[in-house]
Amino acid sequence: MSEKLEITGGEAIARMFAAHDVGLMFGMGGFQLLPFYDAVRRLKLNHNLINDERCAVFAADAYTKVSGRPGVCDATLGPGATNLVTGLAEAFNAGTALVALVGDSHRMHSWKNMTQEARQLEVLRPVVKDVLRVEKIERIPELVRRAFAVATSGRPGPVVLDVPEDIAHEVHAFEADAFYASANYCRAPALRCRPAADDVAQAASMLAGAARPLMLCGGGVHISDAASTVEAFARRFGIPVAHTMSGKGAIACSDPLNAGLFGRYSRIANDLIAKADCLFVVGCKLGEVATRRYDLLAAGAPVIHLDIVAEEFDRTTTPALRLWGDVRATLEELGERMAAQPSPAERQGYVDEVGQAMHAWRESVQGKLTSADSPIGMARLMHEINATLPEDGILVADGGFAAHWGGLLFDTKRAGRGFVPDRGFASIGYGIPGAIGAAAAAPGRQVVSLTGDGGCNMSLGELETAVRMGLAFTLVVVNNAASGYIKALQHLMYGSGSYQSSDLVETNYANVARALGCNGIRVEDPADIRAALASAYACKDRPTILDVVVTRDPAHMLPGVDSRAAKIKPGDRIA
């Protein structure tokens, strides 16, 4: 007979998390999950108190994106559970493997107006891959395994494990050998599949026969851990690579084959799309920003669409060929097929054209990148970050203009996920918890997070979390004393002076940072940025906040460095 373990349901969950080699957890406890917390303490798992449950998901999301290991967060019932919604929506849309443990009411007293009770599963269900409720304590090992399997398979995503109070506190004699995990489900993606062989052969023929093919890469490249595969494929066959904000790093920005962002913030990519004779969409949902509100691929070259989720096909454009499969596995097989087919001789001239166009654009904006203007221009700030962040550095970007400026101007120096924006849901407030998750996932690597003053205000309390955890990262607060995007759009649509509820109080975030135990540096002169960044990188025992004072002029807040005039018409939006 195998050994029996008489333990609480909460301890059973903790033991299953340990079996899945969970590296880091974020959460805020409540009575329902106290047995889980006690077991975490005794088993010495790495759990960290967060100050807001939404930020627990954001931190876990960034941790997973950088580490590849499923993130774990927890919340108590009612407001704890409902506070998870925004973060779970981000993870769900971004394809991030997470398990969210949620306490629930005692089943003997449910629907009797228990304190904090709510129909929380109805609230959570639309923003996760699955909801698993534990109704029998003996099923905990099975259901935790199921949660990790669903979270890491197919297109990864968050799974809610709902545990009623009585289940968490109940004691059961478990078989000791029940606490095991499949190694497959301890990382994402857990399993890889490939499209039908005939479809791969047709794609090989289309790409090999094209004179001007172009790859359009989205965040699915990083979900599949396929950046090095994309880079090798592009170089082998001389196919330029354009990318979305989430797909940045599909190939190094310094690579001659890099065509930069496509869609709303394109600089050369949209022109290449217009002249392409075959478009290879790789792990990209072709959403609003990527397609310039759905008109970019309306007509023209045939589209090959590769995605792990079949429902993404035909959503915004009709492809000539659909490849249903994992990015990395499919590109490996496609490369083998294409090796036997000759590429057109003129491909090298096309590749040279892409490199020359990108070089010409960079030269045309050099004045903005090195501008001595004060207040500081965003282009100069991004230029200094590029100049100082090491090759293995990570830039986290908050929602809104932080992600857009980062997507436009941050240069990854190697293929891989060096840029971590919250583009699944694009909510602001990700900058600080995202930095926490990234720094915890990559000790020794330099992490910089870009946020606005508005985004910083939303999650400021998590600086206390970072100090408590002993994390060292650099948070760059783009301080324009406004909800910058809203104020810029109001200026664009209604004219100068037509601003409503978009101004913030002038705040010195360096002072705020020091009050919270962080290192704080205020930067007002562009000539001081590089030294400030160097000082921040040298601080290894706590976060450093760089309060960078940028323009208060709403006419110059929207992303762009090449003096193109922003135009907007009724019913349109540019950001």
Side-chain angles (χ1 to χ4, degrees), residues 487-562:
K487 189 169 185 177
L489 291 174
Q490 288 174 343
H491 178 86
L492 194 62
M493 293 187 70
Y494 306 114
S496 178
S498 303
Y499 313 123
Q500 174 62 49
S501 303
S502 55
D503 288 307
L504 297 173
V505 169
E506 287 279 354
T507 302
N508 186 317
Y509 288 92
N511 290 342
V512 173
R514 288 190 284 270
L516 286 168
C518 301
N519 184 26
I521 303 172
R522 188 170 174 89
V523 184
E524 300 182 55
D525 187 333
D528 297 334
I529 299 173
R530 192 164 301 198
L533 286 169
S535 177
Y537 298 167
C539 183
K540 302 297 185 184
D541 63 345
R542 54 194 166 138
T544 296
I545 283 66
L546 256 61
D547 181 23
V548 181
V549 178
V550 300
T551 182
R552 270 70 175 146
D553 182 354
H556 294 95
M557 288 180 180
L558 290 176
V561 293
D562 51 7

Side-chain angles (χ1 to χ4, degrees), residues 238-257:
I239 304 177
V241 177
H243 58 79
T244 63
M245 281 183 275
S246 297
K248 180 181 281 287
I251 193 170
C253 291
S254 56
D255 196 291
L257 289 165

Side-chain angles (χ1 to χ4, degrees), residues 35 82 87 89 105 108 124 135 138 185 212 477:
T82 58
S105 59
M108 281 295 293
L124 296 173
E135 296 284 3
E138 52 264 46
Y185 303 125
R212 298 179 64 90
V477 179

